[in-house]
């Protein structure tokens, strides 16, 4: 076990708690460890080893490993093992740029062609769900996970409403690059208070995007969606900076 992994244990992940770690929180913890290279590229992971490292039972880890592999964070090796995927910062940022361009195009197309009342109602539901999270004035880890799920639905609604199979194919490919999918919201390095501030601004873009789509203002919808996607890039830089300072 590497020095960084030992440090993670020393910070409080090793001792089992009476309250099981939430799957969403566990998923974010492992993603942060991969981002910081506490789990180094090429490092082999097993159910037993990762469960011991995190101080949890093997049951949640058993479902977590294949899920992380499907998202591009891990690569299967052997019958039941995995290794941490090797990927570079440039690859992540290139994929984020491409996602921003494609989602901006999708928002423009949807606005100009006109969104159905059903699609607008579902987008409004996402806005209301986000508003309820931010009305509390602070975030917990569960809130962070709920925001990630809502954000994924919001992005998926815009993509699916375009009814463009080739766009869907491109987006699915991009989401196999780690840290690119809209559901990936991990802020352990910068803290929940900073996460709350950054995601609150991002949710403001959600409102403006829906207004532009409803007004059939394609140019504005495209611009706003591109800026919204850029927040994920900003959060990546924030985590890198925090990690370097530490």
């Amino acid at each position: 076990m590497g020095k960084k992994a030992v440090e993670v244990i020393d910070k409080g992940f090793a001792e089992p708690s009476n309250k099981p770690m939430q799957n969403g929180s566990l998923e974010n913890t492992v993603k942060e460890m991969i981002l910081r290279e506490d789990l180094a590229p090429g490092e082999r992971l097993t159910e037993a080893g990762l469960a011991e490292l995190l101080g949890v039972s093997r049951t949640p880890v058993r479902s977590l490993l294949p899920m992380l592999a499907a998202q591009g964070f891990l690569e299967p090796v052997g019958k039941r093992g995995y290794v941490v995927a090797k990927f570079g910062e440039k690859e992540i940022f290139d994929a984020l740029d491409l996602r921003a361009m494609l989602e901006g195009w999708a928002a423009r197309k949807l606005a100009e062609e006109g969104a159905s009342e059903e699609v607008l109602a579902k987008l409004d539901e996402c806005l209301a769900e986000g508003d309820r999270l931010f009305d509390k004035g602070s975030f917990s880890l569960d809130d962070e996970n709920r925001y990630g799920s809502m954000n994924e639905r919001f992005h998926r609604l815009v993509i699916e409403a375009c009814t463009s199979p080739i766009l869907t194919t491109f987006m699915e490919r991009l989401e196999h690059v780690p840290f690119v999918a809209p559901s990936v919201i991990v802020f352990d390095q910068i803290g929940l208070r900073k996460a709350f501030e950054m995601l609150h601004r991002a949710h403001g873009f959600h409102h403006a995007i829906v207004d532009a789509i409803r007004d059939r203002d394609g140019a504005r919808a495209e611009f706003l969606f591109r800026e919204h996607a850029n927040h994920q890039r900003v959060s990546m830089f924030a985590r890198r900076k925090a990690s370097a300072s530490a």
Side-chain angles (χ1 to χ4, degrees), residues 105-115 119 123 157-158 161-162 213:
W105 178 88
R108 172 189 280 272
K109 184 174 186 289
L110 180 59
E112 292 178 346
E113 293 184 354
V119 168
L123 289 172
L157 279 167
V158 173
C162 289
I213 291 173

Side-chain angles (χ1 to χ4, degrees), residues 159-187:
I159 296 300
E160 291 179 349
C162 289
T163 62
S164 171
I166 192 168
L167 173 63
T168 301
T169 299
F170 287 157
M171 295 303 299
E172 288 175 350
R173 175 64 187 89
L174 286 174
E175 289 180 6
H176 282 82
V177 179
F179 301 104
V180 171
S183 60
V184 179
I185 308 291
V186 282
F187 285 101

Side-chain angles (χ1 to χ4, degrees), residues 52 55 63 68 77-78 81 89 91 102 107 130 136 143 161 165 169 172 174 176 208 217 229 234:
E52 180 181 0
S63 59
L68 291 174
V77 60
E89 190 173 86
E91 180 184 4
L102 290 171
K136 296 187 299 180
D143 292 331
T169 299
E172 288 175 350
L174 286 174
H176 282 82
D217 188 340
V234 172

Side-chain angles (χ1 to χ4, degrees), residues 4-240:
K4 289 185 178 180
V6 173
E7 290 173 351
V8 171
I9 292 180
D10 289 342
K11 290 176 183 175
F13 288 116
E15 291 298 326
S17 168
N18 292 330
K19 181 180 179 181
M21 187 180 292
Q22 296 285 336
N23 281 346
S25 177
L26 183 64
E27 176 186 348
N28 284 354
T29 296
V30 175
K31 287 176 179 177
E32 282 284 359
M33 292 170 72
I34 292 173
L35 179 65
R36 296 193 305 264
E37 295 190 357
D38 293 331
L39 297 173
E43 183 173 344
R44 186 180 177 91
L45 300 180
T46 62
E47 287 180 13
L50 188 58
E52 180 181 0
L53 175 62
L54 296 170
V56 299
S57 73
R58 293 175 62 169
T59 302
V61 173
R62 186 172 298 122
S63 59
L64 178 64
L65 289 174
M67 180 177 66
L68 291 174
Q71 295 176 0
F73 291 90
L74 306 178
E75 296 176 355
V77 60
K79 288 186 177 180
R80 302 185 65 181
Y82 296 87
V83 296
V84 178
K86 298 178 182 179
F87 52 87
E89 190 173 86
K90 184 179 185 302
E91 180 184 4
I92 295 172
F93 288 163
D94 285 350
L96 286 170
D97 282 344
L98 288 169
R99 197 191 95 189
M101 287 189 290
L102 290 171
E103 288 182 328
W105 178 88
R108 172 189 280 272
K109 184 174 186 289
L110 180 59
E112 292 178 346
E113 293 184 354
S116 69
E117 289 301 320
E118 180 182 4
V119 168
L120 289 172
K122 289 180 179 179
L123 289 172
D124 285 338
E125 288 174 6
C126 290
L127 297 182
E129 182 177 347
D131 290 345
R132 286 192 294 272
L133 289 174
F134 291 108
D135 281 346
K136 296 187 299 180
S138 62
F139 256 16
S140 67
L141 284 174
D142 287 341
D143 292 331
E144 184 182 88
N145 295 328
R146 281 192 285 270
Y147 179 90
S149 297
M150 179 277 294
N151 193 51
E152 180 182 31
R153 290 198 307 278
F154 184 92
H155 286 243
R156 188 175 64 247
L157 279 167
V158 173
I159 296 300
E160 291 179 349
C162 289
T163 62
S164 171
I166 192 168
L167 173 63
T168 301
T169 299
F170 287 157
M171 295 303 299
E172 288 175 350
R173 175 64 187 89
L174 286 174
E175 289 180 6
H176 282 82
V177 179
F179 301 104
V180 171
S183 60
V184 179
I185 308 291
V186 282
F187 285 101
D188 290 356
Q189 282 290 303
I190 64 175
L192 288 172
R193 180 175 179 178
K194 184 66 174 178
F196 177 91
E197 294 172 358
M198 295 179 71
L199 294 179
H200 195 192
R201 290 196 298 271
H203 190 56
F205 276 100
H206 286 158
H207 277 275
I209 288 165
V210 173
D211 286 343
I213 291 173
R214 183 174 274 114
D215 293 341
R216 304 189 69 163
D217 188 340
R220 180 167 175 76
E222 179 176 19
F223 170 78
L224 289 168
F225 221 126
R226 288 196 182 196
E227 284 298 300
H228 172 60
N230 189 52
H231 270 268
Q232 196 158 350
R233 174 191 281 272
V234 172
S235 74
M236 290 289 296
F237 276 118
R239 290 197 296 273
R240 289 290 188 182

